Amino acid sequence: MDLPTQLLLSVFTLLMIIGLATVAQRLLDVRFGRLRTFLAALVAFGLAQPMLEPILTSLGPVGRENPPAAPALGILLLIVMSVVLIPMVILVIAEALVPPGSVPGPLELVRSVRGRLSRARRYSQITRIAIKHGLGPYLRGRGERLDDRPGTVRLARSLREALDEGGVTFVKLGQVLSTRRDLLPAEFVEELGRLQDQVAPAPWPEIEPVLAAELGGPVDEAFAEFDRTPLAAASIGQVHAARLHSGESVVVKVLRPGIWPVVSKDLDIVRRLAATLESRTRWGRSLGLRDLAEGFATAIREELDFRVEAANMAAVTAGGGVTYPVPISDMCTERVLVMRRLSGRPVTAAAPEQGPQLARDLLDCLLRQILIDGVFHADPHPGNLMLLDDGTLGLLDFGAVGRLDDSLRSALRRFLLAMNRQDPLGVTDALLEVVPRPEDIDEAALERALGQFMARHVTAGMDSAQMFTDLFRIVSAYGLSIPPEVAAVFRALATLEGTLVRLSPGFDLIGEARSFAGRHLAERITPETIKESATQELVALLPMLRRLPRRIERIASAAEHGRFSMNVRLLADDRDRRYVTGLLHQVLLTVLGATAGVMAVILLGTAGGPPALANTTLFQLIGYNLLVIAAILVLRVLALIFRRPRASDDHPARR
């Protein structure tokens, strides 16, 4: 056979395989992967010849003088349908046993193997750290249950030391967990609250290329002066003092080199671990570990992008005796943040007589940001505060910022005002607006629990740390889950509590918060504000109010003359119609397939009938064809069943 004939035959074979794959996929009415469909058709094409050859031979020679008989054409139709049936069977079996996405493609497989090896090395490193600190049994789920406080404290200390040694991602994870009093015992919260990410600074030869790449030139050209010795260093970045050519003093925050690959790998591990725990444990599903991990990953990625921090500075309102540095916008990039330098000293150097006023200013500033402005500093620990030369506070490091929408701020304001009035009903209603409301919650019992909580804690001089702990216990006991944005509020308040105690030992956080509520929140409810709100609502309702009398008159007239009726449209949503149509389609295919199968069995079991071929009657020939048709219909239904759980997850009835 010459080369052109071979090429022509190869092209014809390829077209036949593609046609067979197209027909099989069209009959199943489900989109499969191209490689999977092509391989199924290739197998079917390979099996077609040994299936067709003996039957074609038994039909004898066919030509102009000897045309094929009608029964022979029926046999050929049966064989063609059987050949088409082969890739359909293969695709349906593959869909059931190996769903799409479970087996990666070649490029994905290479990347996956490379990623698995990288994660395995990191897993091994993390495991060694955990075993070193005595956490190995707990990783295997065999750790002993500790009921005594000393043992719990030792375990919490081991966890803190392991997270500290694990690196920046796990330090940040521990800092976030230290604010979740609703999830962890008090011993763990206290111990994890000691995590600090202060590390040795990166050497200047590693920092200089980052600055030159981000600023578009040598450091000496961008700045008139630049101090190579950092003012401070953390696990994410370090800060240097500098002076612009205009003479203005600035500080330059530089992202630590090589941090992105490590953090990305660790975040991938945290997400995979959270997904595994949520799918395999009841407590993981109740806590929503997957969402918590995604929220944590988003927060870490924002902290590693200094452009986000510069935008946060512009969004957060300080005021009230608290100032913050202003970024130099045209010099801020993803890895470099340049901002005006605040002149002062550490806040811990404040004189004792300054402490109470500084603490009040800081509390007033943060509560105003949370309850009124909606954008707040989420990490107000002493390292992010300065005592400025004029005696006021300076707020630093806006990498962690929380945001609250207006409805959530309004609910928090009502919660605080109700706490100030010691109104259990108002506190319960406001709390159920802040957190997702469970369907089976006992509101009366929750109201009594909150009433007892306020009777114990909402008085001057009470321990605010114990108050937060008891509040989280109530939230957890009644199955309430705290949204991430609200958790950020409690994280900021828990951090603020420690800072206020450092500034002013014995500071009455509860009393000052109640005073803030009386000064700033109650004053927002005045006759003028009520009048303004009522006016705005009335303007919004005016078009409806103008049409309301005519509509009432029409309804009354229709009722008077016996013409009053109501029209209800079922399945008005297009998604509902598609869903019901798909179900009916599937039921119809099932009925047709079952009917064809029953008819095929009856015909195959019927004796006699007109002869079609040597050993085959017409009834049997029709029965075989109906059997193949029934198999095709059943395979189509099975393909829809196996694919449906992934294709219709977004249906409103399933949400």
Side-chain angles (χ1 to χ4, degrees):
M1 186 180 298
D2 56 356
L3 182 61
T5 305
Q6 291 181 352
L7 290 176
L8 184 61
L9 184 60
S10 300
V11 171
F12 178 75
T13 302
L14 180 62
L15 292 177
M16 289 290 293
I17 295 174
I18 294 175
L20 185 59
T22 304
V23 172
Q25 183 165 286
R26 182 67 185 88
L27 287 174
L28 289 174
D29 197 27
V30 173
R31 184 176 294 276
F32 298 93
R34 295 177 181 175
L35 179 61
R36 177 178 301 206
T37 308
F38 181 81
L39 291 177
L42 183 62
V43 172
F45 189 82
L47 296 175
Q49 183 177 357
M51 292 177 60
L52 287 172
E53 187 173 357
I55 299 178
L56 292 175
T57 303
S58 64
L59 295 178
V62 177
R64 292 183 179 180
E65 295 80 9
N66 188 22
L73 295 178
I75 292 292
L76 289 177
L77 178 61
L78 176 62
I79 295 301
V80 170
M81 288 194 298
S82 300
V83 172
V84 174
L85 189 64
I86 295 173
M88 294 177 64
V89 172
I90 295 174
L91 289 174
V92 171
I93 293 176
E95 181 73 15
L97 300 180
V98 189
S102 59
V103 177
L107 294 178
E108 294 178 353
L109 183 61
V110 173
R111 296 193 191 102
S112 175
V113 171
R114 192 178 301 169
R116 286 176 183 272
L117 292 176
S118 178
R119 284 196 301 272
R121 288 192 294 268
R122 184 59 174 160
Y123 275 129
S124 176
Q125 182 181 4
I126 294 171
T127 303
R128 288 197 303 270
I129 293 173
I131 294 175
K132 172 184 174 182
H133 293 281
L135 300 177
Y138 295 92
L139 292 179
R140 297 189 295 269
R142 300 176 181 176
E144 59 179 351
R145 185 179 181 89
L146 299 176
D147 297 324
D148 60 319
R149 175 174 169 78
T152 305
V153 171
R154 287 195 302 271
L155 179 60
R157 186 183 303 115
S158 299
L159 177 61
R160 189 256 301 168
E161 293 172 351
L163 292 175
D164 198 8
E165 189 175 345
V168 53
T169 307
F170 294 96
V171 169
K172 294 295 182 182
L173 179 60
Q175 292 173 348
V176 171
L177 290 176
S178 69
T179 66
R180 299 308 301 265
R181 299 169 186 260
D182 57 325
L183 303 181
L184 297 177
E187 294 83 2
F188 284 84
V189 171
E190 180 181 355
E191 191 66 38
L192 293 178
R194 300 175 183 174
L195 279 172
Q196 299 293 332
D197 55 358
Q198 300 292 329
V199 297
W204 175 249
E206 296 180 7
I207 294 295
E208 186 176 17
V210 177
L211 286 167
E214 294 296 310
L215 298 175
V219 176
D220 294 334
E221 292 183 4
F223 301 96
E225 295 179 7
F226 195 95
D227 188 357
R228 268 66 172 171
T229 303
L231 297 173
S235 56
I236 287 181
Q238 59 192 52
V239 178
H240 294 259
R243 185 169 60 84
L244 300 178
H245 291 290
S246 61
E248 185 176 14
S249 295
V250 295
V251 291
V252 182
K253 187 175 180 181
V254 188
L255 190 69
R256 186 176 289 271
I259 193 174
W260 258 116
V262 177
V263 172
S264 299
K265 193 183 305 178
D266 288 347
L267 289 179
D268 183 53
I269 291 174
V270 169
R271 279 196 296 262
R272 290 173 181 271
L273 181 61
T276 301
L277 291 175
E278 183 171 332
S279 62
R280 296 183 180 180
T281 63
R282 182 178 301 175
W283 63 268
R285 287 189 295 272
S286 64
L287 295 178
L289 288 183
R290 193 192 302 267
D291 292 337
L292 290 177
E294 287 299 330
F296 171 70
T298 300
I300 289 293
R301 284 194 294 267
E302 288 186 355
E303 287 196 47
L304 295 180
D305 189 346
F306 290 161
R307 294 171 299 184
V308 175
E309 184 171 349
N312 291 340
M313 288 183 184
V316 173
T317 303
V322 179
T323 58
Y324 60 91
V326 179
I328 310 298
S329 301
D330 56 349
M331 301 186 71
C332 295
T333 67
E334 182 179 357
R335 296 190 293 171
V336 173
L337 176 64
V338 182
M339 49 193 163
R340 292 186 176 91
R341 185 175 184 180
L342 298 180
S343 179
R345 58 190 188 278
V347 72
T348 53
E353 60 272 13
Q354 292 179 287
Q357 184 59 46
L358 294 175
R360 278 191 292 271
D361 289 343
L362 180 60
L363 177 63
D364 186 90
C365 174
L366 194 67
L367 289 179
R368 182 182 292 275
Q369 291 175 356
I370 292 173
L371 299 173
I372 299 176
D373 301 326
V375 183
F376 60 93
H377 195 293
D379 195 17
H381 64 77
N384 288 337
L385 292 169
M386 287 183 62
L387 179 63
L388 303 182
D389 294 338
D390 59 0
T392 60
L393 284 173
L395 196 57
L396 309 175
D397 193 356
F398 289 80
V401 167
R403 292 177 174 83
L404 303 173
D405 57 43
D406 185 65
S407 61
L408 198 52
R409 295 200 307 272
S410 178
L412 287 173
R413 288 196 295 266
R414 289 194 296 273
F415 181 82
L416 185 56
L417 286 173
M419 290 275 287
N420 188 39
R421 298 192 307 268
Q422 299 194 36
D423 176 14
L425 180 60
V427 170
T428 304
D429 292 339
L431 179 62
L432 292 178
E433 291 184 33
V434 171
V435 302
R437 183 191 187 100
E439 296 181 359
D440 55 349
I441 187 170
D442 188 347
E443 290 192 37
L446 177 61
E447 182 181 340
R448 288 193 299 270
L450 289 173
Q452 295 172 1
F453 163 79
M454 287 187 291
R456 287 194 304 268
H457 295 290
V458 186
T459 55
M462 292 300 295
D463 184 5
S464 55
Q466 185 62 38
M467 183 192 73
F468 280 122
T469 301
D470 289 349
L471 179 60
F472 280 125
R473 285 176 180 170
I474 294 175
V475 168
S476 177
Y478 285 87
L480 305 176
S481 59
I482 299 179
E485 57 271 21
V486 179
V489 172
F490 286 114
R491 171 190 175 188
L493 292 177
T495 306
L496 177 67
E497 176 194 0
T499 304
L500 296 177
V501 172
R502 291 281 298 274
L503 288 174
S504 177
F507 184 79
D508 185 8
L509 173 61
I510 299 174
E512 292 294 335
R514 294 181 65 183
S515 177
F516 175 88
R519 291 195 312 270
H520 298 286
L521 300 184
E523 69 183 13
R524 295 171 65 89
I525 307 176
T526 61
E528 290 76 14
T529 57
I530 293 175
K531 180 180 178 181
E532 181 180 357
S533 299
T535 302
Q536 293 176 354
E537 293 292 337
L538 183 61
V539 170
L541 292 174
L542 189 58
M544 184 184 70
L545 293 175
R546 292 180 60 184
R547 294 190 296 267
L548 187 59
R550 292 194 298 272
R551 292 181 176 177
I552 294 177
E553 193 275 332
R554 291 174 186 169
I555 294 174
S557 176
E560 180 181 1
H561 294 88
R563 297 193 305 270
F564 183 75
S565 62
M566 296 179 63
N567 293 326
V568 179
R569 290 186 59 191
L570 296 176
L571 305 176
D573 195 307
D574 183 60
R575 292 174 298 177
D576 292 333
R577 292 195 296 271
R578 289 200 303 268
Y579 182 71
V580 174
T581 301
L583 287 179
L584 292 176
H585 187 198
Q586 189 171 347
V587 170
L588 181 60
L589 288 177
T590 304
V591 172
L592 291 176
T595 303
V598 171
M599 292 176 62
V601 172
I602 293 174
L603 289 174
L604 290 174
T606 301
L613 293 175
N615 299 318
T616 305
T617 66
L618 181 60
F619 291 162
Q620 291 175 333
L621 181 59
I622 297 176
Y624 286 129
N625 281 274
L626 286 176
L627 194 61
V628 173
I629 292 174
I632 292 175
L633 294 175
V634 170
L635 287 173
R636 179 162 177 158
V637 173
L638 291 176
L640 292 173
I641 291 175
F642 292 140
R643 179 62 61 93
R644 185 172 296 278
R646 291 182 297 276
S648 57
D649 286 341
D650 60 343
H651 189 270
R654 295 177 179 261
R655 282 184 236 167

